[in-house]
């Protein structure tokens, strides 16, 4: 195996191909790709399969998909799609084919084997919203195939950061601009604003990142989400990021001061806040409207907040707080907000490696249809990542990241756990 070929840092300075129906502008989004396995030289086929293409379109049965040179070559009914002789073919009978899953909130947390485990469960792209790019050095040198890595660099935070080792602390506009520049020069595909960053500096972040075509996402506690949206952020990580914006001003200020005084105040404070929120308030519908108008994506990461009756050290307040986060997520989707799947990597109610599937199940509990939850994990995330010109759906010309599962996840989202085979960049994972 040729290591130079094997370990490829792909810098997509422009879209690798043009799709006639799409006019995506030149993309500045870069990814780190670790593909020690070779792409097959010949065509691959999946025949007679149920197809969920990621666009929100309903499942189509008895379909055939052809893959060539890492790209989706053809998609059509099995009856009319000709599979060339001697093509390496997978019989898709009883299986469903979906686009590779994309995770907008993946944390490595020093667990170097987790990305490959996620990949084997169908997650072909992960975005880490806040870690030094150096933290992925081990993963990038791995001899094992890895999901596409979309990295952010350390998140940009104010003084007394909650996670010092994952942060760049900035104190003024110039430091902010320089921190953003460094992350982008190092290969960041998104910038994350963290919760102690003052509003004026959030605006600096969005200005600096947008000037280079890079989106900004935020984890908020003390800055009002509506203000941050007006300052230009593109995404909100965690449903809890909108908590302060939904509270009446006096209570919001009390929560804000408590967290500013002690970062740890948020861990129980957010459940208290959420257990008391009035989701039917005028404030809530105004915020949702603003999110829709400004095209802000919500990555609710429900699974990391999941608290149920019977969990250890859990009170009714936690359970009610979580219930409201779920309800808000359904409300957001219903209002037209773009909701996406972010797994948070390890969560209380999923085995190691299955946080992504747990998040999909919770989105369905929130009121998304299984098909919408699948779309949230594929094309919607591709749009959030700004790579929808090449990833996120099964359409000719797109890069061939695919998942085969047993059963029909459009009927039962739990079938997303029945992963049968995964393809990344046009090659089946060797281990399957
Ligand atoms: Zn996180």
């Amino acid at each position: 195996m040729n290591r130079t070929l094997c370990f490829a840092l792909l810098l997509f300075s422009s879209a690798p191909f043009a799709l006639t129906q799409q006019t995506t502008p030149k993309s500045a989004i870069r990814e780190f790709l670790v593909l020690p396995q070779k792409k097959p030289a010949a065509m691959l086929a999946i025949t007679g399969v149920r197809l969920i293409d990621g666009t929100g379109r309903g499942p189509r049965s008895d379909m055939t998909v052809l893959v060539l040179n890492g790209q989706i070559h053809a998609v059509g009914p099995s009856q009319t799609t000709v599979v060339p002789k001697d093509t390496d073919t997978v019989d898709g009978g009883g299986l469903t084919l979906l686009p590779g899953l994309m995770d907008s909130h993946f944390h490595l947390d020093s667990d170097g084997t987790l990305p490959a485990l996620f990949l084997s469960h169908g997650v072909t792209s992960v975005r880490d919203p806040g870690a030094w790019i150096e933290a992925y050095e081990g993963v990038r040198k791995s001899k094992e195939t890895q999901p596409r890595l979309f990295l952010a660099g350390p998140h940009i935070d104010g003084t007394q950061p909650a996670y010092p080792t994952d942060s760049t602390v900035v104190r003024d506009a110039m430091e902010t601009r320089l921190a953003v520049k460094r992350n982008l020069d190092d290969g960041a595909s998104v910038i994350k604003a963290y919760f102690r960053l003052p509003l004026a500096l959030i605006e600096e972040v969005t200005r600096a990142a947008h000037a280079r075509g890079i989106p900004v996402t935020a984890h908020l506690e003390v800055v009002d989400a509506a203000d941050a949206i007006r300052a230009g952020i593109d995404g909100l990580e965690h449903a809890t990021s909108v908590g302060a914006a939904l509270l009446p001003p006096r209570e919001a200020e009390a929560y804000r001061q408590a967290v500013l005084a002690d970062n740890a105040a948020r861990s129980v404070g957010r459940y208290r806040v959420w257990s008391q929120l009035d989701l039917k308030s005028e404030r809530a519908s105004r915020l949702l409207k603003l999110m829709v108008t400004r095209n802000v994506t919500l990555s609710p990461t429900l699974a990391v907040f999941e608290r149920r009756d019977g969990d250890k050290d859990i009170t009714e307040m936690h359970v009610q707080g979580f219930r409201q986060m779920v309800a808000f997520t359904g409300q957001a989707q219903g209002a037209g907000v773009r909701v996406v799947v972010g797994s948070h990597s390890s969560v209380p109610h999923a085995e190691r490696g299955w946080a992504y599937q747990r998040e999909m199940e919770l989105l369905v509990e929130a009121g998304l249809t299984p098909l919408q939850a699948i779309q949230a994990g594929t094309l919607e995330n591709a749009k959030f990542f700004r790579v929808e010109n090449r990833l996120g759906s099964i359409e000719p010309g797109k890069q061939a990241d695919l998942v085969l599962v047993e059963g029909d996840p459009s009927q039962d989202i739990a079938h997303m756990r029945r992963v049968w085979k995964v393809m990344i960049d046009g090659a089946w994972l060797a281990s399957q």
Side-chain angles (χ1 to χ4, degrees):
M1 213 164 18
N2 180 337
R3 286 298 292 169
T4 29
L5 274 179
C6 300
F7 171 57
L9 160 59
L10 292 191
L11 301 179
F12 284 96
S13 55
S14 64
F17 51 83
L19 288 176
T20 45
Q21 75 274 31
Q22 284 169 315
T23 52
T24 313
K26 272 196 171 183
S27 171
I29 304 301
R30 311 193 293 181
E31 76 187 66
F32 298 91
L33 200 52
V34 187
L35 297 171
Q37 61 185 29
K38 273 203 201 118
K39 247 183 246 183
M43 191 175 274
L44 300 175
I46 304 109
T47 56
V49 76
R50 182 183 302 104
L51 179 72
I52 297 178
D53 67 10
T55 64
R57 182 178 181 163
R60 286 176 278 169
S61 52
D62 200 9
M63 296 289 286
T64 286
V65 172
L66 301 177
V67 171
L68 184 64
N69 294 329
Q71 291 186 2
I72 294 161
H73 182 72
V75 180
S78 295
Q79 284 202 328
T80 53
T81 308
V82 180
V83 179
K85 209 169 151 257
D86 297 329
T87 299
D88 189 347
T89 300
V90 170
D91 175 4
L95 305 173
T96 301
L97 186 69
L98 306 110
L101 306 172
M102 304 181 72
D103 186 351
S104 55
H105 201 112
F106 178 89
H107 290 296
L108 187 61
D109 292 334
S110 314
D111 183 350
T113 58
L114 198 59
L117 182 63
F118 266 54
L119 176 61
S120 72
H121 294 167
V123 182
T124 50
S125 294
V126 299
R127 185 160 85 179
D128 187 325
W132 288 86
I133 286 174
E134 290 88 331
Y136 277 83
E137 218 161 303
V139 177
R140 288 169 55 193
K141 286 185 177 145
S142 169
K143 290 191 171 68
E144 218 179 327
T145 302
Q146 303 292 332
R148 298 175 193 275
L149 304 172
F150 293 88
L151 304 180
H155 47 232
I156 316 285
D157 206 353
T159 47
Q160 296 170 281
Y163 294 105
T165 53
D166 296 326
S167 304
T168 298
V169 170
V170 297
R171 295 166 300 170
D172 59 26
M174 196 174 286
E175 285 188 354
T176 305
R177 288 194 293 272
L178 289 173
V180 171
K181 181 183 184 306
R182 187 178 60 200
N183 284 6
L184 296 183
D185 289 349
D186 287 350
S189 57
V190 66
I191 298 292
K192 166 95 160 292
Y194 217 59
F195 70 79
R196 295 189 75 100
L197 193 65
L199 183 59
L201 298 186
I202 292 180
E203 197 173 48
E204 285 299 333
V205 168
T206 60
R207 215 177 284 146
H210 289 169
R212 289 181 52 179
I214 300 292
V216 175
T217 193
H219 170 151
L220 304 175
E221 302 280 351
V222 298
V223 169
D224 186 294
D227 293 335
I229 290 168
R230 289 190 197 95
I233 60 163
D234 305 282
L236 285 168
E237 305 296 318
H238 317 303
T240 50
S241 280
V242 304
L246 299 181
L247 281 175
R250 193 164 91 170
E251 290 159 44
E253 185 60 26
Y255 177 71
R256 200 170 171 260
Q257 289 184 22
V259 175
L260 282 171
D262 176 9
N263 288 325
R266 74 191 198 285
S267 56
V268 67
R270 55 168 59 130
Y271 284 97
R272 192 171 303 120
V273 164
W274 277 82
S275 68
Q276 293 163 3
L277 279 182
D278 175 10
L279 297 180
K280 298 215 161 57
S281 66
E282 184 57 27
R283 200 174 273 111
S285 56
R286 263 203 315 266
L287 179 68
L288 290 175
K289 241 177 243 155
L290 183 68
M291 289 177 75
V292 174
T293 348
R294 300 289 180 113
N295 198 17
V296 169
T297 302
L298 175 66
S299 181
T301 68
L302 292 172
V304 75
F305 302 117
E306 185 174 7
R307 302 290 183 274
R308 303 286 186 182
D309 283 328
D311 288 357
K312 202 167 165 267
D313 301 329
I314 292 308
T315 64
E316 178 49 33
M317 184 260 294
H318 288 95
V319 176
Q320 172 61 8
F322 173 67
R323 234 180 258 139
Q324 293 252 87
M325 294 172 201
V326 174
F328 175 79
T329 301
Q331 214 173 312
Q333 169 86 17
V337 173
R338 174 174 297 153
V339 172
V340 295
V341 182
S343 75
H344 213 283
S345 294
S346 49
V347 299
H349 286 264
E351 301 275 300
R352 180 170 176 272
W354 294 104
Y356 190 98
Q357 282 74 7
R358 185 68 198 137
E359 182 69 12
M360 288 185 116
E361 289 158 8
L362 291 173
L363 291 180
V364 170
E365 188 175 319
L368 277 73
T369 63
L371 212 51
Q372 286 172 332
I374 291 166
Q375 195 182 351
T378 54
L379 193 56
E380 293 304 311
N381 252 337
K383 289 176 184 165
F384 190 24
F385 289 32
R386 299 192 184 173
V387 294
E388 72 274 20
N389 60 323
R390 60 185 177 91
L391 293 173
S393 61
I394 302 180
E395 295 172 277
K398 286 212 172 176
Q399 286 173 284
D401 289 3
L402 303 170
V403 194
L404 265 175
V405 301
E406 281 180 288
D408 181 0
S410 72
Q411 295 301 313
D412 182 355
I413 198 68
H415 291 183
M416 291 306 298
R417 292 172 184 260
R418 292 154 66 168
V419 180
W420 202 73
K421 229 169 164 36
V422 178
M423 178 183 283
I424 181 163
D425 211 47
W428 294 114
L429 274 193
S431 53
Q432 288 171 322

